[in-house]
Amino acid sequence: MMDPMLNEESSYAPKQTYFSPYAMNGGTCLAIAGEDFVVVGSDTRLSQGFSIFTRDLPKTYKLTTSTVLGACGFHGDVLTLTKVLNARLKMFEHEHHKKMTTSEIAAMLSTMLYHRRFFPYYVYNLIAGLDEEGKGVVYSFDPVGSYGSDGYRARGSAAAMLQPLLDNQIGLKNQQNVQRVSLSKEKVVNLVKDVFISAAERDIYTGDAVVVHVITKDGTTTERFPLRRD
Amino acid sequence: SYGALARYRNLSRVMKVNDSAAIGISGDYADYQFMKSVIEQRVIDEECLNDGFQYTPKSLFSWMTRVLYNRRSNFNPLWNTFIVGGVQDGEPFLGYIDKIGVAYNDPTIASGYGAYIAAPLLRDAFEANPKMSLAEAEKKIDECMKVLYYRDARSLNKYEVAIVTKDGTMIKSPIVSETNWEVAHMIKGYE
């Protein structure tokens, strides 16, 4: 099969072409839960290999007024997963005459992912929202549906760079004589901005812009900030 | 091309779907012919319904993404990259779909070598002037196709353009760029 993208150097040695159903499309998302709010952020770059597909594709998807999904990994699976998730949310509403709560969505997503245990959705998910009592909650998933709730989590290509910083600044892990203060929305949003600026320095798949959603009982506000474009 | 052999010099890779949408492809020509016949049949069926509706660029884009994703999930891909373009609700739309179902939309799209050579030129032009006219856009496309002819060893100096405006879709073909190879004399070893 002739594929212009694969055969870039001319070579007469026998080559075996292999079709991989997955690709890494990069991107990073993170979520931080507060007392009565949740902050979800993601970068907006979509890439493949050393190419940038687009600089304007946020990895966050609004599911309900109080829940946001962050999904990064293989973009084909992200598109399919969000389509199916939205359809399932509508079906739930039609059947039960109420919107799904954050914890219900998280449990459902886990089963949806595990259904594809032997041909997984190559997506790293984050569900962030307000629980039934109005407190912020963040659930993080692996590609086959294992999940748990955390106070904060980073997912995606720069997760390994962001998570330790969050452990230090939000979890206040392994620090002596530190006062535990509850963080305000503004402090958290500034932290998210700083953390993405740092990730963009070293991770080639993170950059262009960061989209930050702040979810409270009054609704969701969204802001965009530019990041380095290289 | 068929590898390094310039096999057919007269193949069309753009297709008018209806007055608001057109598609362009790269990749396997046979798989494109299959997709083309499926889309053409759907357009005919839609005309028979005669309800005043046409496939919109976004609905076509969404449907094609699903088709390609499902084929890859059955390990039987359509080995193509599709570019879907059109005008919907007065706004232009451009989308890209991969053989594995990766899809996105952006003001400028390029596939294959175009992603490396043409995309930077188009992005710069768009950033400098997002509201450029059709004539300026056509000129930019000609510049990109010219550079691609200079730099891609498997290209030919003949191309076609599909243009979608609020007034309809047209395909301009064939277009030959004016190239200047005088610089070749300056390259040592290739006099």
Side-chain angles (χ1 to χ4, degrees):
Chain A
M1 287 205 251
M2 294 296 140
D3 185 324
M5 297 253 283
L6 283 180
N7 302 330
E8 280 184 47
E9 317 93 70
S10 77
S11 138
Y12 300 102
K15 252 196 275 215
Q16 181 179 30
T17 39
Y18 162 69
F19 169 67
S20 166
Y22 295 117
M24 270 298 292
N25 294 119
T28 309
C29 42
L30 78 77
I32 300 172
E35 267 301 308
D36 57 351
F37 67 90
V38 188
V39 176
V40 192
S42 82
D43 75 326
T44 62
R45 174 178 288 178
L46 189 75
S47 2
Q48 194 160 311
F50 286 116
S51 295
I52 295 177
F53 276 156
T54 175
R55 298 188 193 273
D56 188 11
L57 202 131
K59 317 280 174 317
T60 49
Y61 301 89
K62 275 202 198 133
L63 296 177
T64 68
T65 48
S66 57
T67 317
V68 168
L69 168 78
C72 26
F74 165 46
H75 192 59
D77 279 340
V78 168
L79 288 174
T80 308
L81 188 60
T82 47
K83 227 186 228 294
V84 177
L85 246 184
N86 279 309
R88 292 286 299 267
L89 286 172
K90 284 200 179 106
M91 284 156 64
F92 182 94
E93 255 177 83
H94 288 146
E95 204 179 323
H96 296 99
H97 297 290
K98 56 178 168 162
K99 293 231 167 6
M100 278 185 95
T101 65
T102 307
S103 59
E104 286 167 343
I105 298 176
M108 183 177 78
L109 179 58
S110 170
T111 58
M112 282 170 63
L113 293 170
Y114 196 80
H115 253 98
R116 288 273 295 255
R117 173 66 177 77
F118 300 110
F119 184 10
Y121 287 114
Y122 189 176
V123 188
Y124 291 92
N125 288 296
L126 272 176
I127 295 238
L130 302 172
D131 66 9
E132 283 96 330
E133 289 149 28
K135 283 214 285 257
V137 67
V138 169
Y139 294 98
S140 59
F141 296 75
D142 80 350
V144 284
S146 153
Y147 81 112
S149 84
D150 311 288
Y152 54 88
R153 176 66 71 181
R155 237 72 189 94
S157 56
M161 294 181 203
L162 303 185
Q163 190 67 36
L165 185 49
L166 298 180
D167 283 333
N168 180 278
Q169 291 297 305
I170 305 203
L172 304 169
K173 297 273 170 83
N174 297 314
Q175 289 185 68
Q176 273 88 19
N177 305 322
V178 179
Q179 282 279 54
R180 195 161 268 284
V181 273
S182 86
L183 292 159
S184 69
K185 274 197 284 291
E186 292 70 31
K187 271 224 173 84
V188 173
V189 170
N190 283 331
L191 183 66
V192 169
K193 267 195 275 182
D194 285 339
V195 129
F196 269 99
I197 289 171
S198 309
E201 293 293 314
R202 294 288 182 171
D203 180 23
I204 60 171
Y205 296 111
T206 303
D208 295 329
V210 58
V211 167
V212 183
H213 301 283
V214 181
I215 309 169
T216 56
K217 62 168 171 36
D218 304 316
T220 312
T221 56
T222 307
E223 286 175 84
R224 273 192 100 133
F225 308 102
L227 288 174
R228 22 182 332 161
R229 291 156 69 92
D230 63 353
Chain B
S1 327
Y2 194 73
L5 168 67
R7 190 169 178 186
Y8 302 108
R9 301 161 71 102
N10 205 17
L11 279 186
S12 176
R13 288 198 188 88
V14 294
M15 170 196 168
K16 169 179 167 169
V17 175
N18 56 38
D19 282 320
S20 58
I23 60 174
I25 62 104
S26 57
D28 189 73
Y29 202 73
D31 283 343
Y32 163 60
Q33 285 173 315
F34 168 72
M35 184 63 110
K36 185 168 185 280
S37 60
V38 172
I39 294 177
E40 278 169 352
Q41 188 55 57
R42 283 179 156 248
V43 170
I44 290 172
D45 294 342
E46 205 182 26
E47 272 175 59
C48 292
L49 283 176
N50 201 18
D51 55 6
F53 285 106
Q54 280 193 327
Y55 280 116
T56 63
K58 288 186 190 175
S59 61
L60 183 68
F61 179 68
S62 179
W63 173 75
M64 285 175 69
T65 309
R66 293 297 106 224
V67 169
L68 266 73
Y69 179 84
N70 273 286
R71 291 281 302 243
R72 81 104 214 186
S73 300
N74 291 320
F75 285 91
N76 182 21
L78 286 167
W79 208 283
N80 295 109
T81 304
F82 286 93
I83 297 182
V84 179
V87 177
Q88 184 162 345
D89 302 322
E91 292 296 317
F93 173 83
L94 251 188
Y96 168 110
I97 317 167
D98 217 323
K99 63 180 179 293
I100 45 175
V102 174
Y104 62 90
N105 55 301
D106 204 48
T108 60
I109 301 260
S111 70
Y113 274 109
Y116 299 100
I117 295 176
L121 297 170
L122 294 172
R123 282 174 183 171
D124 269 353
F126 183 79
E127 216 165 312
N129 185 7
K131 300 218 182 302
M132 70 174 85
S133 66
L134 178 57
E136 289 171 312
E138 282 184 84
K139 195 152 161 286
K140 212 59 196 167
I141 296 277
D142 184 68
E143 186 189 314
C144 291
M145 297 307 287
K146 204 191 307 199
V147 179
L148 281 166
Y149 173 55
Y150 283 136
R151 290 295 181 173
D152 178 3
R154 275 121 194 231
S155 58
L156 294 169
N157 188 13
K158 194 170 31 149
Y159 69 93
E160 42 184 8
V161 182
I163 301 174
V164 187
T165 58
K166 59 173 172 43
D167 305 314
T169 310
M170 65 164 143
I171 297 189
K172 285 191 181 170
S173 165
I175 308 178
V176 178
S177 306
E178 278 186 33
T179 55
N180 180 351
W181 293 91
E182 291 307 307
V183 73
H185 296 294
M186 297 188 231
I187 299 174
K188 281 207 156 84
Y190 288 93
E191 299 95 0

